[in-house]
Amino acid sequence: TRYIGVTGVQTCALPISNVGSYGSSTTVPVVTVNGKGLVTAVSTTTIDPGINFKNRIINGAMQVWQRGTSFTVSTTTVTYTADRFGIYQPSGSGTITRDTDAPTGFKYSLKVVGAGTDTIQRIESNNATDLSGQTVTVSFYFKQTVGAGSGSMSVALQYANSADNFIALTSISTQTFTPTSSWALYTLTFTNLPSGVTNGMSIDIYPTSSGSSSTYFITGVQLEKGSTATSFDYRPYTTEMQLCQRYYWKFGGSQFGGAYMPMVLFTGISTTSATATIQLPVRGRTPPTSITLGGSAPSISAGTITTNLTLDRNSYDSVMVYVLGTGFAAGTSYRWIGNADATTFLGFEGMEL
């Protein structure tokens, strides 16, 4: 029990029960206060906690697609498509696309075409430290247009055997559901999570039988504490983008750039090399380990580049890069700009789980 003290002509203590918890609604009293400061509880009301990050899934509404919006996936590796969502193809190949076929309240879904294709999100240890011994509920919107009725889908929770290292996993529990060809909300509850979840956990959604071709759509993915699925935790787009950029950052490109987009300002350190520091938009989960230069080649304001961007030093917040070439001068600045077709981009890799 907690108390609110009101000081006036008369001081009263008002007990409030069920003050709520992370990710839950809160029941609070509706009170009146008279001219003498007397507080009277006349009723109660339930308030929505609003943006409280109850959802441990990032980009569950499939809003952010920094890497592109269409992918072909093959066996043996996890390919990241929609931000934070990895795809594992057990055999053959599959295609993943961003689709506008989505239930009410959502703009996009992730469309999967393949045999046994597994949709995965890994939750880092920092976001799972309080889940040991807890009950969690997974909810999502799902429909299957090819293969519906021919078999079930599985939802598996696993935890990393060491912190944020998902090479070796331990199974927690697997549950199944039977999808239809229309959008529906599915909920599954997992009880008494083991202590290993504090290393980070994985949620996998896949056809129980991997042999048959399937086409399915998914969006509104949520994992929250408690035994009841609550309404989807809508977060501002900017917030969702920043959460994704902790694991991957794409700078430029047709989605986010424009013709002749300013990319990097280099400073010459000799006649044959120039260097620059690039600030990351948010602190990375780990320092980036590589940078991909994609799209049409950029141009530099003076000099000639013979060896494009090379990662020199890295940190959680910034990286130092350099280029090699001719015609540079120590201490002189050089603008590196994107191409006219707006496709030039830098992709900062190595921060994903």
Side-chain angles (χ1 to χ4, degrees), residues 90 114-117 144 150-154 176 206-214:
T117 311
Q144 189 173 23
S150 62
S152 64
M153 297 287 297
S154 293
T176 61
Y206 57 93
T208 305
S209 175
S210 62
S212 301
S213 294
S214 172

Side-chain angles (χ1 to χ4, degrees), residues 12-294:
C12 299
L14 177 66
I16 301 176
S17 61
N18 187 23
V19 295
S21 60
Y22 181 92
S24 65
S25 297
T26 302
T27 301
V28 297
V30 177
V31 302
T32 61
V33 183
N34 67 14
K36 296 182 179 180
L38 178 64
V39 180
T40 305
V42 295
S43 64
T44 60
T45 188
T46 300
I47 61 172
D48 189 333
I51 302 168
N52 59 8
F53 296 92
K54 65 182 178 182
N55 188 6
R56 307 307 171 94
I57 299 297
I58 296 173
N59 197 30
M62 309 300 172
Q63 294 175 284
V64 183
W65 296 70
Q66 291 188 87
R67 295 173 177 87
T69 57
S70 180
F71 305 84
T72 298
V73 296
S74 57
T75 59
T76 71
T77 59
V78 172
T79 301
Y80 280 90
T81 55
D83 275 58
R84 300 286 9 263
F85 283 92
I87 301 294
Y88 178 75
Q89 186 64 41
S91 62
S93 63
T95 58
I96 311 300
T97 52
R98 185 182 71 181
D99 207 286
T100 55
D101 186 344
T104 301
F106 296 90
K107 186 176 182 179
Y108 298 120
S109 65
L110 183 146
K111 179 182 179 182
V112 177
V113 179
T117 311
D118 187 355
T119 300
I120 303 166
Q121 182 157 147
R122 294 165 175 170
I123 302 170
E124 74 168 282
S125 59
N126 286 326
N127 296 332
T129 53
D130 62 327
L131 296 182
S132 175
Q134 298 296 311
T135 292
V136 299
T137 296
V138 175
S139 59
F140 49 85
Y141 289 88
F142 195 95
K143 81 172 188 177
Q144 189 173 23
T145 56
V146 175
S150 62
S152 64
M153 297 287 297
S154 293
V155 178
L157 295 188
Q158 304 176 86
Y159 66 81
N161 287 356
S162 59
D164 295 328
N165 185 339
F166 287 83
I167 294 175
L169 299 167
T170 297
S171 174
I172 299 171
S173 178
T174 301
Q175 299 186 36
T176 61
F177 67 99
T178 302
T180 69
S181 57
S182 300
W183 282 109
L185 176 65
Y186 297 90
T187 66
L188 304 101
T189 297
F190 299 80
T191 61
N192 193 27
L193 297 188
S195 60
V197 297
T198 58
N199 286 332
M201 61 187 296
S202 170
I203 174 172
D204 297 43
I205 303 172
Y206 57 93
T208 305
S209 175
S210 62
S212 301
S213 294
S214 172
T215 298
Y216 65 81
F217 302 73
I218 186 170
T219 194
V221 185
Q222 182 156 283
L223 187 152
E224 60 188 305
K225 287 171 71 172
S227 58
T228 303
T230 63
S231 61
F232 184 76
D233 187 16
Y234 291 97
R235 295 187 284 248
Y237 177 79
T238 299
T239 300
E240 209 70 47
M241 173 67 81
Q242 290 173 330
L243 291 172
C244 294
Q245 288 172 334
R246 176 171 168 79
Y247 304 89
Y248 173 80
W249 178 38
K250 183 177 182 179
F251 175 35
S254 56
Q255 286 191 77
F256 310 110
Y260 305 112
M261 175 182 175
M263 303 287 290
V264 181
L265 184 64
F266 284 99
T267 300
I269 54 177
S270 71
T271 58
T272 58
S273 63
T275 186
T277 297
I278 302 173
Q279 190 76 27
L280 302 179
V282 299
R283 178 162 293 177
R285 186 190 68 84
T286 61
T289 56
S290 64
I291 302 176
T292 300
L293 172 61

